[in-house]
Amino acid sequence: MKKSIFKMGTAMAFGLVMMCACGGTTNENSDGGAPTDSVQPAVEVKEAESNWEYSEYPDEMSDDTTYLASVVSENSVDFDFPYDGGSTLTLTVRKSPQYGSDIYIKISKGQFNSGIYGQKIKVRFDENKAFDVNCRTASDGSSDLLFLTNYKKLVKQLKDAKVLKVSCEFWNEGTRTFTFNVEGLKWVHGEGKK
């Protein structure tokens, strides 16, 4: 009898050791069903990264602050000399005590094909239909800069969209299209990042 109790005790001890070695207790119901008390590992949730860069600086004449939010195009285009080597387009939303609220685009190398009244460009948000936007040239005559009209409408669409495509005409280069990842814009009433 002592031998059989010893064997039984040894078998139970062996079973416990095997259970521990195999990862502990099971979470199955006694009827072989689904786990009852499973603990899920923690999953780190990250906010989607944004391509927008924010900056601000004081206006020397008023001591008020100018706020900027800028995004660079995902693609570049190749122009002929002297603008060869790849050009990107930067879109900037600005709130300035001196100039007010506006949106402008700037080509890194190249010149927009604009007359004294600017030019029309095409914009497309996500899979929506493309539409024309009137642009005016910079007051100092810079040919690498265009200011877009319809500030409020465009900011609203920028905040709701993931992708923006912009087509504009360049001096001696024709029309080129740039694609922006605009998801995650933080811009409240033109007052800067929040």
Side-chain angles (χ1 to χ4, degrees), residues 12 15 30 36 51 53 64 90 105 131 165 168:
M12 286 175 63
S30 56
T36 55
N51 288 335
E53 290 189 12
D64 289 331
T90 299
I105 53 176
F131 60 92
K165 293 185 178 180
C168 33

Side-chain angles (χ1 to χ4, degrees), residues 53-134:
E53 290 189 12
Y54 301 90
S55 58
E56 55 188 62
Y57 58 89
D59 180 75
E60 293 181 6
M61 298 304 289
S62 66
D63 292 329
D64 289 331
T65 303
T66 293
Y67 298 96
L68 302 168
S70 299
V71 63
V72 179
S73 63
E74 298 285 307
N75 64 314
S76 61
V77 298
D78 289 317
F79 295 144
D80 289 335
F81 179 83
Y83 303 116
D84 52 335
S87 297
T88 57
L89 192 67
T90 299
L91 175 111
T92 300
V93 182
R94 176 176 69 174
K95 170 67 175 178
S96 163
Q98 185 175 359
Y99 301 109
S101 298
D102 52 25
I103 298 176
Y104 59 88
I105 53 176
K106 181 174 176 51
I107 190 70
S108 60
K109 292 186 289 182
Q111 296 183 57
F112 289 107
N113 189 25
S114 303
I116 57 171
Y117 301 110
Q119 72 164 271
K120 279 187 182 178
I121 64 170
K122 279 205 177 296
V123 298
R124 184 180 185 195
F125 290 95
D126 295 327
E127 300 303 317
N128 298 314
K129 187 177 178 182
F131 60 92
D132 290 337
V133 174
N134 289 319

